[in-house]
Amino acid sequence: MSDPSPFAMPTRFDGDPGRVALVVPGVGYSPARPLLHFAREVLRQHGWTVQELWWHIPDDFAQLPVDERIAWVEWQVGRAVSAEAGACRLVVGKSLGSLASGIGADRGIAAAWLTPLLTFDHVVRALRRAQPPTLLVGGTADKLWDAEVAASLHHDVLEVPSADHGLELPGDAVGSAEVLRQVVSRLDHFVGSLGRA
C-alpha cells in the first residue's frame, strides 16, 4: 500500500475514543470554513476524537421536496453516527446539518447547532424534544433564524446582533472576526460543560 498523499486533508482527528464528536457541514460551508475549523480545534483541545463529515450536495438538491432533503441529510448524518458504534456523543453542525437534529434528539446525543434552520418545522420539533445539552447559535440578520423560537426552547442560546447566516457582519471584517471569537468562546464553554462523563 502506498503512503497517503501529503496533500490529502485529514477528516478524523484522534482523541478520546469513547468521546467522538461529528462535525457536520452546511450547503456551501465545509468543515474547513472558520466556524467549523475552530469548532474542531475546541473539541481537540478538550480531548475529543473529531470526525468531520464532508458531503457533495446533489445538483438538484434545491429542487427536491423538503422531506427528501431532510431524508438525505438524516441518512448522511445517521450513517456517520452509527459508524462510531455508540461513541458519538456530540454533533456540531452548520445550517443544513440541523435537518438531522432529530437524530441527536432520538439517540440522546448532545449538539451545537450553528445557524440552525429555525424556520423549518421539522428542526423546531426535533429541538423541542431534544433532552441532551444543546447549544443554538444564530444571528439576528439571518432569515433562517427565528429569535422567538430560539428563546422558547429550553437550550443554551447565543444570538449575535446583526450577524447573517454565515455569522458574519457584512462589510465589517474586523467585527466578523470578533463574532467568530465570541462563537468559539461559547463553544469552548459548552464543550467544557459536557465534561468526561
Side-chain angles (χ1 to χ4, degrees):
M1 177 182 279
S2 64
D3 290 333
S5 166
F7 303 109
M9 290 181 58
T11 62
R12 189 175 186 87
F13 302 83
D14 290 329
D16 181 346
R19 294 185 306 142
V20 177
L22 180 65
V23 173
V24 181
V27 172
Y29 205 99
S30 80
R33 299 286 304 271
L35 291 166
L36 297 181
H37 166 80
F38 284 106
R40 180 190 76 208
E41 293 308 300
V42 164
L43 291 161
R44 294 181 70 197
Q45 181 176 301
H46 286 275
W48 290 70
T49 288
V50 180
Q51 177 62 57
E52 295 177 341
L53 177 58
W54 292 71
W55 56 31
H56 175 73
I57 303 291
D59 291 339
D60 63 345
F61 190 77
Q63 283 72 51
L64 295 175
V66 171
D67 59 338
E68 290 184 30
R69 284 181 270 167
I70 292 168
W72 186 88
V73 173
E74 287 183 334
W75 183 81
Q76 297 281 338
V77 175
R79 183 176 64 159
V81 168
S82 295
E84 300 300 337
C88 182
R89 296 177 38 207
L90 175 62
V91 174
V92 178
K94 176 76 172 73
S95 185
L96 182 70
S98 69
L99 291 180
S101 53
I103 291 173
D106 296 340
R107 299 192 193 189
I109 299 171
W113 298 112
L114 309 177
T115 67
L117 305 179
L118 295 185
T119 57
F120 282 63
D121 288 341
H122 172 83
V123 173
V124 175
R125 285 194 307 270
L127 291 173
R128 288 203 189 285
R129 71 176 190 272
Q131 295 302 311
T134 301
L135 171 65
L136 308 176
V137 181
T140 61
D142 179 2
K143 293 178 181 176
L144 298 173
W145 174 262
D146 187 316
E148 290 185 9
V149 168
S152 75
L153 298 168
H154 58 278
H155 303 306
D156 187 10
V157 175
L158 171 61
E159 185 173 83
V160 183
S162 303
D164 63 16
H165 192 62
L167 287 175
E168 297 182 11
L169 305 177
D172 184 354
V174 173
S176 295
E178 174 56 28
V179 170
L180 177 62
R181 187 208 61 77
Q182 184 179 2
V183 173
V184 172
S185 178
R186 181 61 72 89
L187 277 170
D188 182 60
H189 177 76
F190 176 75
V191 172
S193 75
L194 299 177
R196 296 182 178 272

